[in-house]
């Protein structure tokens, strides 16, 4: 089995400020309960996996992720508590490989 036992990055959306999702932790938890949570995602290392979780406790504020390079779109949206996305960085692009409830546009 694969275990990701490291400290997660925590981001809290305030409705206006864009936050950078780090490429140094395996998991980023974004809380958009208080407001929208626009986020950016820089390029990773070849083969790197990144997991992003919407940990909001309620409401429908969106977590909108804008990677520098995303295969198949330009943004990933998590617009409800519990939605997730998993990506792998390969061939100079983030590639969505799984998740729950996300939307790529």
């Amino acid at each position: 089995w694969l275990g990701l036992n490291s400290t997660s990055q925590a981001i809290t959306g305030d409705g206006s400020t864009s936050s950078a999702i780090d490429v140094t932790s395996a998991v980023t938890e974004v809380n958009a309960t208080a407001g929208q949570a626009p986020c950016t995602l820089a390029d990773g290392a070849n083969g790197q996996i990144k997991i992003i979780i919407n940990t909001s406790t309620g409401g429908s504020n969106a977590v909108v992720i804008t990677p520098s390079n995303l295969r198949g779109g330009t943004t990933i949206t998590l617009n409800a508590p519990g939605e997730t996305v998993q990506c792998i960085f390969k061939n100079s692009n983030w590639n969505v490989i799984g998740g729950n409830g996300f939307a790529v546009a």
Side-chain angles (χ1 to χ4, degrees), residues 28-92:
T28 295
E29 300 176 54
V30 185
N31 185 332
T33 300
Q36 301 289 336
C39 298
T40 59
L41 178 60
D43 288 348
N46 199 40
Q48 177 179 359
I49 293 177
K50 183 70 185 182
I51 300 168
I52 304 162
I53 304 168
N54 182 338
T55 61
S56 302
T57 56
S60 59
N61 294 320
V63 176
V64 179
I65 306 152
T66 305
S68 296
N69 293 289
L70 176 63
R71 182 165 283 124
T74 56
T75 61
I76 303 166
T77 302
L78 309 175
N79 61 12
E83 292 188 347
T84 64
V85 67
Q86 294 100 29
C87 300
I88 187 170
F89 193 78
K90 193 73 176 159
N91 299 322
S92 301

Side-chain angles (χ1 to χ4, degrees), residues 5 7 21 25-26 30 45 54-55 58 89 100:
N5 187 18
T7 302
I21 294 172
S25 63
V30 185
N54 182 338
T55 61
F89 193 78
N100 174 54

